[in-house]
Amino acid sequence: MADDLDEWMTAARDQGDQQAFAMVVEKCHHLIRATLLRETAEPELADEIAQEALTRAWAKREQYRPGTSPRAWLLTIARSQLMEHHRRQDRDRRHLRELVRQELLRQAPQEADSEQQQRLAALKICLTEIGDDHRQLIDLVHSQGLTSDAAAEILGIKAPACRQRLSRLQRMLRECAEKRILASEQ
C-alpha cells in the first residue's frame, strides 16, 4: 500500500494526474483529519484545515520527492497549515486588542486628557456612521470578545473575509477619527 501511495503521488507530481492524487487523498484524508482534530478539538476547524492542506498539497505537488512517504509529506503540510491558522488568530487578537486599547478602552472619559477625550469622541461619531453589518462585527469582536473566526461563522462569511473586513474597518475608523480631529482643530 505504501508503494501504491508513492506511485500515485509520483504520477500526480509528474503527470498532473488528478485521479492518482484523489487516491492518495482517499487513503490519507482520515489520518490528516484525525491528527488535526487531536490538535484543535474542533471538527469543523479540523475539516477546514485538512481541506486547505490538501489544496496546498495539490498546488505544491512538484515538491514531493518520489520514494518518500506521501502520508508524512501531507501531514507536514497539514501541520504547517495549522500553524498558519494559529498565527492568523494570534495576529487578529493582537490587532483587535490594540485597537480596543488605543481607541476605546484607553482611559475612562473623565480620567482622559483632552486629546484622548477628543479621539474617543471622534471615534464614537465614526462608529455611528458605519453600516449595521460593520457595527455588528465590531460588537461581536470588541463587546462580546469573539475571535474573528467565530464572528465570521455568526455572520455567515468566510474567516479570511472577516479578517480582511476587520482590518479595513480598523483602518477606516482610525482614518475617520483622525480626519474629525483635524477638522475640529481648524
Side-chain angles (χ1 to χ4, degrees):
M1 167 112 129
D3 290 336
D4 289 342
L5 285 176
D6 183 47
E7 288 174 22
W8 291 328
M9 194 61 221
T10 301
R13 173 187 179 240
D14 295 342
Q15 299 149 15
D17 187 343
Q18 291 180 352
Q19 293 292 68
F21 187 72
M23 294 299 292
V24 173
V25 169
E26 182 181 322
K27 300 295 183 188
C28 297
H29 185 266
H30 181 72
L31 174 66
I32 293 167
R33 185 183 184 280
T35 301
L36 292 169
L37 186 57
R38 211 174 27 250
E39 296 289 327
T40 65
E42 295 179 44
E44 295 84 18
L45 181 59
D47 288 338
E48 181 182 326
I49 294 173
Q51 186 64 39
E52 289 173 6
L54 293 170
T55 301
R56 176 159 289 176
W58 173 254
K60 304 269 185 188
R61 66 188 178 276
E62 70 279 352
Q63 294 178 2
Y64 174 74
R65 291 188 205 136
T68 61
S69 169
R71 280 190 183 103
W73 184 71
L74 290 171
L75 281 171
T76 300
I77 292 172
R79 287 186 181 112
S80 174
Q81 288 296 115
L82 180 62
M83 288 177 15
E84 185 176 317
H85 170 78
H86 288 311
R87 278 192 295 269
R88 280 191 313 255
Q89 275 192 320
D90 289 345
R91 184 179 60 235
D92 286 349
R93 286 187 195 113
R94 282 192 311 271
H95 286 303
L96 297 174
R97 279 194 307 260
E98 189 65 25
L99 175 65
V100 170
R101 185 173 49 250
Q102 287 179 357
E103 306 296 340
L104 297 174
L105 301 177
R106 206 171 213 174
Q107 292 182 7
Q110 62 272 21
E111 299 171 3
D113 63 27
S114 67
E115 180 183 333
Q116 290 170 333
Q117 286 179 349
Q118 189 177 22
R119 288 186 65 77
L120 187 58
L123 183 61
K124 285 180 180 179
I125 293 169
C126 292
L127 284 168
T128 64
E129 296 173 351
I130 63 175
D132 289 339
D133 55 336
H134 286 124
R135 198 171 298 109
Q136 183 182 14
L137 179 58
I138 290 287
D139 180 58
L140 289 171
V141 173
H142 293 288
S143 298
Q144 297 179 29
L146 297 177
T147 65
S148 61
D149 288 354
E153 188 173 323
I154 290 170
L155 296 173
I157 59 176
K158 295 187 184 261
C162 186
R163 286 189 291 276
Q164 186 177 27
R165 192 175 291 177
L166 274 171
S167 178
R168 272 189 264 133
L169 185 56
Q170 177 181 340
R171 188 173 40 253
M172 181 191 73
L173 287 170
R174 186 178 297 124
E175 290 170 0
C176 176
E178 289 171 1
K179 285 179 186 175
R180 288 204 167 276
I181 291 169
L182 284 175
S184 70
E185 292 174 351
Q186 295 176 350

